[in-house]
Amino acid sequence: MSHKRIPKRKAAMAVGGVVALGAAAILLPNANASQDGASDGVAAAPRTLKAGDASDLATRLAGTLGDAYAGAWYDGEDKQLVVNVVRGEDTMALEVRSAGAKVRWVDNSMSELESGAGTLKSEATIPGTSWAVDPRTNRIVVTADSTVTGDEWEQLESTVDNLGSGMATLKKSTGTFRTFASGGDAIFAGGARCSLGFNVTAGDGSPAFLTAGHCAAAGDEWSDQQGGPPIATVDQALFPGAGDFALVTYDDPATEAPSEVNVGGQTVPVLQAAEATVGQQVFRMGSTTGLADGQVLGLNATVNYPEGTVTGLIQTDVCAEPGDSGGSLFTQDGLAIGLTSGGSGDCTVGGETFFQPVTTALEAVGATLDAGGAGAGDQAGGQEQGAGQEAGDGQAGAEDQAGAGDQAGAGDRAGGEDAGAGQDGAAGQDMQDGTGAGTGRHSGQDSGLSRTH
């Protein structure tokens, strides 16, 4: 196969254009900017931190504080890390202040919150529900979409009540939880359209990219043009189970896959993968709606899709729509954070959207993402050809969606919900296959990675 490079199309973003412009206004002027950090002067004064540094500090403090640690979040306005410390742990609070973070006293320990999440898993794993610990409220936030009614709603409500006062908050979403794959533009397989997430280097040194695992159910071979020749092949995929990610290797080992995200004619360099922090501002690029921004709301989220349960996700208020699946979640200073999985709502009314952490996906598939390796692909980028340009071209959404995917099947999926939801036909149903019948890679709930070749 001849040398291939994913094209960087300069697309005008029609679908989600207003959202894209708003996000770009925040993102582009600051793409290479950094926030000034305070000196390590007075231990009692919280330091000014970049979100990435705050995430690293939170990880270190979690290990240091042990049972006294009850989560942390990033205060974007003051640019400080806020750490929850269980009441009475005065010595541990001193550790937090000495490290340069701000102490917030809370009643629920992390072990108690995790125990509550375990109860939800055993007693209320209902399609159309999700839950994640919100460190800002020191509670588990449980969300039910519009399909959870009648006996299922009563079961969920009862389970939440039994956790005890002050442990969990139950809220209703007007949308429907579904994976965001569709027929249309960006990267294609079997009539399905998804978005490329980040270019990476596979374990054997070959160029590859990450996308959503549920997208891989549409087919093994992917193209950068609808109906075009394949340029990449699925190597590993997981969905549902302990994640939603796939490693897809380029067929031409000479493929140039730069480390950047195309945000519609301009690019944001991707420097490295990083953990998300609650409160952190993030940007999403996808082939349907283009560029959108919002905040991280929760970590280690559990989502009960019609196709099965997925754990370990990042919960945000960033909007997304069918076709955005697999697209890149990143920060203005070039950190790769996540891959679009699914959620509810759209970019008109908003909703909840969940992302696969890039760090855990890289570890699972044995790939790397860094700023160094240029052509190899190590990186990132959502440049993705499609991902970014997307929007534009693809308006995708609407149209192709309908068309390409109409999918029909999709809807059948699980709850039926979605015909509409997934519109994704192909994708749709296949993804769905993950539910049980599986495509081999995803048979059943499969909790382990599988190879397609």
Side-chain angles (χ1 to χ4, degrees):
M1 179 176 286
S2 61
H3 179 88
K4 290 184 180 295
R5 179 187 179 113
I6 293 183
K8 300 178 186 174
R9 294 171 248 156
K10 297 182 180 180
M13 300 179 186
V15 179
V18 174
V19 174
L21 289 174
I26 301 171
L27 173 65
L28 297 179
N30 301 294
N32 296 310
S34 63
Q35 301 156 356
D36 294 332
S39 64
D40 295 340
V42 182
R47 290 190 298 153
T48 298
L49 299 167
K50 291 190 289 187
D53 294 335
S55 177
D56 292 341
L57 178 56
T59 300
R60 292 199 300 272
L61 287 173
T64 300
L65 302 184
D67 292 340
Y69 178 80
W73 53 282
Y74 183 64
D75 182 340
E77 184 174 342
D78 292 335
K79 296 181 172 57
Q80 295 174 348
L81 177 68
V82 182
V83 178
N84 293 337
V85 178
V86 177
R87 294 186 193 283
E89 297 284 356
D90 296 341
T91 301
M92 294 295 99
L94 288 175
E95 292 275 358
V96 172
R97 294 190 181 100
S98 296
K102 185 176 181 179
V103 172
R104 176 170 176 264
W105 296 105
V106 297
D107 295 317
N108 298 321
S109 69
M110 187 57 70
S111 61
E112 289 172 330
L113 293 168
E114 290 175 347
S115 176
T119 298
L120 287 164
K121 178 180 179 181
S122 63
E123 299 182 14
T125 296
I126 300 167
T129 61
S130 71
W131 50 81
V133 172
D134 179 6
R136 288 176 290 192
T137 63
N138 191 226
R139 294 186 177 194
I140 304 167
V141 176
V142 183
T143 305
D145 72 12
S146 58
T147 66
V148 181
T149 60
D151 291 343
E152 289 184 333
W153 171 259
E154 291 181 5
Q155 178 185 349
L156 183 63
E157 192 173 38
S158 174
T159 303
V160 169
D161 288 343
N162 289 337
L163 293 178
S165 176
M167 280 293 293
T169 300
L170 177 60
K171 66 176 187 175
K172 191 82 169 174
S173 172
T174 57
T176 300
F177 287 156
R178 76 241 193 231
T179 48
F180 287 138
S182 185
D185 194 9
I187 54 174
F188 306 84
R193 170 173 58 81
C194 281
S195 299
L196 186 153
F198 296 99
N199 283 311
V200 300
T201 300
D204 62 0
S206 61
F209 64 83
L210 294 176
T211 189
H214 66 264
C215 292
D220 289 345
E221 298 184 330
W222 286 80
S223 171
D224 61 349
Q225 301 176 41
Q226 188 169 16
I231 64 165
T233 303
V234 175
D235 180 73
Q236 301 177 59
L238 176 63
F239 175 83
D244 183 5
F245 55 86
L247 177 70
V248 187
T249 56
Y250 290 106
D251 297 333
D252 183 351
T255 296
E256 296 179 32
S259 180
E260 60 194 25
V261 176
N262 183 334
V263 295
Q266 299 189 59
T267 58
V268 175
V270 174
L271 305 178
Q272 64 184 68
E275 301 287 348
T277 304
V278 173
Q280 179 178 24
Q281 182 185 36
V282 287
F283 296 83
R284 176 198 54 72
M285 200 68 194
S287 65
T288 298
T289 56
L291 184 66
D293 70 305
Q295 278 194 356
V296 174
L297 301 180
L299 305 178
N300 197 29
T302 294
V303 186
N304 297 301
Y305 291 124
E307 305 91 320
T309 298
V310 180
T311 60
L313 302 183
I314 301 166
Q315 183 171 353
T316 76
D317 61 3
V318 183
C319 71
E321 297 182 7
D324 288 330
S325 279
S328 47
L329 183 74
F330 59 102
T331 67
Q332 67 177 9
D333 50 356
L335 300 179
I337 300 296
L339 309 167
T340 308
S341 174
S344 68
D346 54 38
C347 286
T348 299
V349 302
E352 300 83 15
T353 302
F354 301 91
F355 295 83
Q356 164 65 47
V358 169
T359 51
T360 54
L362 289 171
E363 182 178 5
V365 301
T368 57
L369 183 160
D370 54 56
D378 2 303
Q379 353 306 119
Q383 64 294 338
E384 38 224 304
Q385 52 159 90
Q389 31 312 17
E390 66 236 42
D393 313 50
Q395 314 333 204
E399 354 173 17
D400 355 34
Q401 262 100 37
D406 5 330
Q407 332 314 113
D412 355 321
R413 14 155 121 275
E417 63 276 297
D418 348 310
Q423 271 82 339
D424 352 355
Q429 66 260 9
D430 327 9
M431 317 188 312
Q432 281 37 323
D433 306 344
T435 22
T439 63
R441 281 187 300 300
H442 313 133
S443 56
Q445 244 59 21
D446 93 74
S447 53
L449 286 171
S450 54
R451 291 183 177 272
T452 58
H453 67 278

